[in-house]
């Protein structure tokens, strides 16, 4: 897909989900970086939703307006953090994000920006994390695919506790550069649209059988 070099700034939505950002070294720095990039809107989920009651309509409206959606979080137990998962559970609903009358996210891009405690060389068959890190990515990639979104090459910082300040600074600078230059990333020019994952109506129980999340109440 080609983009005119002088097209208006892209609308980028960065979803940050770190359960203790005040203790974070890497993600706090990355979030600060994103906040300083024009055309980027940052949602700090743990700050916005300390009660875990996500405003689904507000989040869906922000997603609808975005072209690039960033999922930024530390890796916990080889996957996403709890509120990141709940956000996907609640916000990417059947017949909105996917399903026969879904498609609200069709054609958008998703970019995973994640950090791990384990260094890169711990992620291989002979070391304690036993798998190359790519082995943990299919749930992310398929979540994007089901919603007809392109899953871009993730940006990972391994060994987030141990990397030098200089390496962290370089990583943050790369993050800023990528955010500010989107969608003019060389690899996007030839990246194909997402594969079609059509979910038939019959794949889900009738509406009344679905347990709805509790409504947010004001005290
Ligand atoms: C509950 C929990 C689970 C974790 N699970 C993993 C894991 O599966 N793999 C890994 O490499 N690091 C794991 N870590 C380490 C975090 O990924 C690491 O602390 C984080 O990426 C550092 O980023 P920060 O400076 O923003 O906190 C875990 C940390 C916590 C608290």
């Amino acid at each position: 897909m080609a983009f005119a070099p002088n097209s208006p700034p892209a609308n980028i939505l960065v979803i940050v989900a770190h359960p203790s950002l005040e203790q974070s070294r890497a993600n706090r720095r990355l979030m600060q970086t994103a906040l300083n990039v024009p055309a980027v809107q940052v949602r700090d989920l743990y700050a916005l939703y300390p009660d875990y009651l996500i405003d689904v309509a507000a989040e869906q409206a922000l997603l609808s307006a975005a072209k690039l959606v960033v999922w930024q979080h530390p890796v916990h137990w080889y996957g996403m953090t709890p509120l990141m998962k709940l956000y996907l559970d609640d916000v990417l609903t059947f017949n909105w994000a996917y399903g026969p009358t879904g498609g609200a996210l069709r054609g958008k891009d998703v970019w995973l920006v994640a950090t791990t405690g384990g260094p890169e060389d711990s992620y291989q068959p002979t070391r304690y994390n036993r798998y190359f890190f790519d082995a943990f990515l299919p749930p992310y990639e398929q979540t994007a695919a089901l919603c007809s979104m392109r899953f871009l090459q993730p940006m990972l910082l391994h060994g987030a506790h141990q990397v030098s300040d200089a390496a962290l600074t370089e990583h943050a600078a790369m993050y800023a550069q990528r955010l500010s230059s989107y969608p003019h990333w060389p690899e996007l020019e030839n990246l194909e649209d997402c594969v079609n994952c059509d979910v038939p109506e019959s794949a889900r129980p009738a509406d009344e059988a679905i347990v709805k999340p509790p409504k947010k109440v004001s005290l």
Side-chain angles (χ1 to χ4, degrees):
M1 192 188 306
F3 295 93
N6 54 358
S7 54
N11 196 340
I12 300 175
L13 184 64
V14 177
I15 309 295
V16 178
H18 192 304
S20 48
L21 210 50
E22 67 290 348
Q23 290 167 21
S24 158
R25 178 178 184 231
N27 283 275
R28 190 155 45 116
R29 177 78 174 273
L30 295 174
M31 187 175 93
Q32 283 305 329
T33 299
L35 282 165
N36 289 328
V37 179
V40 171
Q41 181 161 11
V42 176
R43 303 289 284 170
D44 175 356
L45 293 187
Y46 280 90
L48 285 164
Y49 303 117
D51 50 9
Y52 278 48
L53 293 172
I54 292 172
D55 185 338
V56 173
E59 297 303 331
Q60 288 183 340
L62 290 169
L63 281 171
S64 293
K67 172 71 180 114
L68 171 65
V69 181
V70 181
W71 295 336
Q72 189 203 311
H73 66 78
V75 169
H76 281 185
W77 291 109
Y78 306 104
M80 60 188 73
T81 49
L83 197 48
M84 184 81 235
K85 174 65 166 49
L86 186 67
Y87 169 92
L88 299 184
D89 291 351
D90 286 1
V91 178
L92 304 190
T93 50
F94 183 61
N95 276 338
W96 183 79
Y98 67 102
T101 62
L105 304 174
R106 189 181 306 281
K108 299 177 190 294
D109 289 332
V110 177
W111 189 32
L112 173 66
V113 173
T115 63
T116 69
E120 187 167 14
D121 66 4
S122 70
Y123 282 94
Q124 55 178 305
T126 54
R127 298 293 308 280
Y128 62 90
N129 281 316
R130 297 186 55 226
Y131 295 90
F132 295 110
F133 192 77
D134 282 4
F136 303 104
L137 293 177
Y140 293 91
E141 193 172 358
Q142 178 55 19
T143 299
L146 196 74
C147 301
S148 309
M149 301 168 89
R150 296 192 306 182
F151 186 70
L152 308 185
Q153 187 64 38
M155 188 172 92
L156 305 170
L157 180 69
H158 293 294
H161 305 301
Q162 300 160 18
V163 291
S164 65
D165 287 345
L168 182 55
T169 298
E170 196 181 322
H171 193 78
M174 174 65 75
Y175 191 29
Q177 194 279 331
R178 296 291 272 180
L179 288 173
S180 53
S181 63
Y182 178 85
H184 309 294
W185 299 358
E187 71 271 28
L188 297 190
E189 302 233 339
N190 299 318
L191 194 63
E192 290 181 4
D193 288 348
C194 176
V195 291
N196 240 348
C197 301
D198 291 331
V199 181
E201 191 72 49
S202 59
R204 293 290 301 253
D207 231 15
E208 53 273 21
I210 300 173
V211 179
K212 297 270 191 329
K215 289 230 159 37
K216 186 160 188 152
V217 286
S218 314
L219 298 175

